[in-house]
Amino acid sequence: MRVGTLIDYRLRVHGLPLRWQSEITVWEPQRRFVDEQRRGPYRLWLHEHTFELRDGGTLCRDHVRYAVAFDILVHRHSSGPT
């Protein structure tokens, strides 16, 4: 793996075929890497994986920033308590 690596996925979501491509945009072995969607269902997909030595093991964290078309249909926002 290295910066510029392209990864192609073929998935099925609720039985529907989906093609997705991500690119490794940051590669810092033993610390973190970032993959960004180049082709797929999201308007934005930025996925950071971080690794930290902790208590004799490794703590892995994922942070995802994403945006979808028609966000209001995907995320039902409330205007306050109901």
Side-chain angles (χ1 to χ4, degrees):
M1 185 114 42
R2 61 183 166 77
V3 171
T5 297
L6 296 174
I7 303 168
D8 292 303
Y9 308 86
R10 288 183 180 207
L11 310 169
R12 287 196 173 273
V13 177
H14 300 290
L16 299 172
L18 176 68
R19 293 181 130 184
W20 186 330
Q21 182 182 70
S22 64
E23 178 181 359
I24 302 301
T25 57
V26 175
W27 178 249
E28 299 172 11
Q30 300 180 20
R31 185 165 168 251
R32 72 184 187 122
F33 72 94
V34 176
D35 60 282
E36 296 184 46
Q37 175 186 279
R38 293 296 175 240
R39 183 180 67 237
Y42 295 91
R43 286 186 11 229
L44 168 73
W45 176 270
L46 184 97
H47 185 189
E48 180 181 26
H49 313 256
T50 60
F51 308 96
E52 178 183 327
L53 293 177
R54 182 168 295 177
D55 301 325
T58 303
L59 174 64
C60 302
R61 289 190 178 129
D62 287 315
H63 179 80
V64 178
R65 287 183 50 218
Y66 70 96
V68 294
F70 307 108
D71 180 70
I72 193 74
L73 298 175
V74 176
H75 298 105
R76 303 217 185 247
H77 302 285
S78 80
S79 58
T82 56

